[in-house]
Each structure stands twice: as C-alpha cells, then as structure tokens.
C-alpha cells in the first residue's frame, strides 16, 4: 500500500495559497504602517524605519511567493530585478524622461528650478536615481508593488484595471510619511492629495514598462527612482507630479500607436 502526501492547507501558508493578495497586503501594510508610525509617535526621524518598511514590503512579497509557488517562484521574482536587456531608448526614458518633463512643466508655469551647474546636477541626479533610489529603495519597493501585486492584477484584469487596482494600496503605504515630526495639517493634506492624484498615473507608467520589458523590475525601479529624484526641479513642489502625468500620457500614446488598436494583448495584459 502506498501513500501520497499533499501540501498542507492549514495555517498562514495555506491561507496564502488560497488568498495570496489579501495575505500579502495584511503583512505588508500592517508591518509597514507599524514601522513608520512608531518613530512618528516618538518624534524621531524615520530614515532607518523607512528602510525597515522597504525590507518588510520585499519580505512580504517573497514570503507569500514562497508559500504559493515554492523556491522556484522566489528565484523567478528575484530574477526580474536583474533583467537589464531592454531597448536603449527605454533606458533614456526611465532615466531622463522625468527631469525633462518636470523642467518642461516648470518652464511653462514659470517655476522651473534650472540647475546652475549642470555637471554637478547630473552627478547628483544619477546618484540619487541609480545608487540611492534604485539600489537602496525603489527596486525592493517595486519588487513588492509591481513584481508581486500589480503583475497579478494585470494578468487577470489587464494593464489599465490592474494599474488602477494597485494605486489605492500604493497610496495607503505612503500615509504615515505625511505625518513625520514637524508635520502640519496643510502640509499633510498637500502631500496626501499629491500622492492620491499621481498614484494611478505612476502605476500605469510602471505597468507599461513592466509589460514591455518582459517583466524587468530594474526598468520599473529606475523609473520610480527618477520620479523621486526630480522633485527639486520646480520651485512650487508639484511640477514633477505634472511631469509624471505628461510622461505617462506620452508613453501611453506612443505605445498605442506602436502596437495599433488591433494588436493582440500579451497574456499578462488579458
């Protein structure tokens, strides 16, 4: 007589196999909010806790991926962070699109913060985007939001709906960042409104990059980091947000024209 064993369906791992997205969001938001709220309540700088939040996000994505797909699925998810072979023009978009769009918006509005020393600006910008932004923060943040969550939503609901479904959760994780020591109600309201308005555009832009690079989280992380690094290119503080909207619309139009209205959807977009 032979017996067969089946994977356990009990406990958190079993629950994650049945409901991966709710389990991920519970772990990520619960732990992330805790990591960021504690220093806010204590009146402390939250830099180290921000790093902890990023570790929690990536860890939650990898943990739930392990529960649902095993070690092979974890390796595939991590491997997307190393996908660097995509078109040179897309590198130009993810690295230069945001500063160009932000300066263009500032020029139209008369609020552009044009650097006095372009060489120094280029060095600082590349460091903040590639080293500080990508390697230390946004690559791991997007491993969770794009690599785990949005990719699932887009696979089931398509690019547009999948991006819009991700946006509220992306907004939610940023809530505590508006209540750091010294916060004011006007400042918090401005920050929250800005994140709320740009979240759908951000998720759509990153979703396009993800799909069109065959799942490169490197491209997605670079774009996110470039957005953050462009924040100081306008004196009003919101030029980079409008720049993001402009860049997203331009990329969406070019993508539609390249693919054509009758182009078949990739599997991940269906």
């Amino acid at each position: 007589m032979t017996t067969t064993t089946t994977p356990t369906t009990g406990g958190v791992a079993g629950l994650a196999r049945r409901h991966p997205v709710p389990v991920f969001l519970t772990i990520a938001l619960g732990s992330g909010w805790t990591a960021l709220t504690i220093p806010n309540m204590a009146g402390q700088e939250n830099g180290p806790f921000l790093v902890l939040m990023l570790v929690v996000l990536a860890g939650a994505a990898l943990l739930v991926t392990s529960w649902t797909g095993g070690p092979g699925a974890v390796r595939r998810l991590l491997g997307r962070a190393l996908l660097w072979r995509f078109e040179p023009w897309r590198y130009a978009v993810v690295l230069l699109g945001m500063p160009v769009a932000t300066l263009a918006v500032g020029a139209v509005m008369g609020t552009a913060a044009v650097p006095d020393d372009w060489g120094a600006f280029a060095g600082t910008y590349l460091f903040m985007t590639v080293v500080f932004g990508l390697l230390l923060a946004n690559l791991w943040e997007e491993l969770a939001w794009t690599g785990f969550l949005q990719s699932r939503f887009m696979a089931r609901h398509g690019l547009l709906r999948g991006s819009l479904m991700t946006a509220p959760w992306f907004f939610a994780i940023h809530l505590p960042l508006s209540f750091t020591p010294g916060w004011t109600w006007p400042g918090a309201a401005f920050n929250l409104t800005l994140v709320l308005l740009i979240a759908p555009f951000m998720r759509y832009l990153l979703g396009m990059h993800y799909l069109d690079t065959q799942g490169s989280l490197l491209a997605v992380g670079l774009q996110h980091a470039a957005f953050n690094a462009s924040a100081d290119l306008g004196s009003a503080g919101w030029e980079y947000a409008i720049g993001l909207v402009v860049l997203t619309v331009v990329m969406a139009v070019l993508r539609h024209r390249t693919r054509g209205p009758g182009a078949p959807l990739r599997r991940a977009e269906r």
Side-chain angles (χ1 to χ4, degrees):
M1 179 178 179
T2 59
T3 60
T4 59
T5 59
T6 58
T8 179
T9 58
V12 179
L15 183 63
R17 279 189 286 272
R18 296 189 297 273
H19 307 287
V21 169
V23 170
F24 163 76
L25 289 173
T26 299
I27 297 173
L29 294 179
S31 302
W33 281 337
T34 301
L36 293 176
T37 301
I38 291 176
N40 289 351
M41 295 179 64
Q44 301 295 319
E45 293 296 328
N46 65 359
F49 293 89
L50 182 59
V51 174
L52 176 60
M53 185 268 287
L54 295 172
V55 171
V56 165
L57 279 177
L62 294 172
L63 182 61
V64 177
T65 298
S66 176
W67 283 336
T68 58
V74 171
R75 287 192 295 270
R76 288 190 295 273
L77 178 56
L78 289 172
R80 296 180 211 166
L82 303 177
L83 290 178
W84 59 272
R85 292 185 177 180
F86 46 89
E87 305 92 334
W89 68 265
R90 193 171 298 272
Y91 273 105
V93 169
V94 297
L95 286 173
L96 303 178
M98 273 305 308
V100 170
T102 302
L103 287 172
V105 170
V108 171
M109 300 295 180
T111 58
V114 180
D116 295 326
D117 186 338
W118 282 100
F121 165 75
T124 301
Y125 171 79
L126 289 175
F127 174 81
M128 294 300 295
T129 300
V130 178
V131 178
F132 182 82
L134 176 72
L135 297 181
L136 297 182
N138 299 121
L139 182 60
W140 312 112
E141 182 179 2
E142 291 303 334
L143 184 144
W145 293 123
T146 302
F148 181 89
L149 186 64
Q150 188 168 340
S151 64
R152 280 171 165 76
F153 285 155
M154 290 192 299
R156 176 169 294 186
H157 303 285
L159 171 59
L160 177 59
R161 289 183 62 190
S163 301
L164 294 178
M165 291 172 68
T166 308
W169 306 110
F170 180 73
F171 167 77
I173 196 65
H174 288 81
L175 283 172
L177 294 177
S178 295
F179 299 96
T180 55
W183 69 274
T184 62
W185 281 114
F190 174 82
N191 291 333
L192 290 175
T193 301
L194 198 65
V195 177
L196 181 65
L197 293 176
I198 67 173
F201 294 94
M202 169 74 85
R203 299 322 313 174
Y204 193 84
L205 178 61
L206 298 184
M208 287 190 289
H209 287 318
Y210 182 81
L211 293 174
D212 295 342
T213 59
Q214 304 301 313
S216 172
L217 294 176
L218 178 65
V220 171
L222 275 174
Q223 183 67 86
H224 192 153
F227 168 76
N228 292 339
S230 300
D232 295 330
L233 291 175
S235 59
W238 42 257
E239 293 87 350
Y240 75 126
I242 300 180
L244 173 70
V245 174
V246 171
L247 181 60
T248 302
V249 171
V250 170
M251 288 295 294
V253 170
L254 292 176
R255 187 175 191 265
H256 177 76
R257 289 183 176 179
T258 300
R259 292 163 55 88
L265 295 177
R266 294 187 181 92
R267 180 180 179 185
E269 294 179 83
R270 293 174 181 169

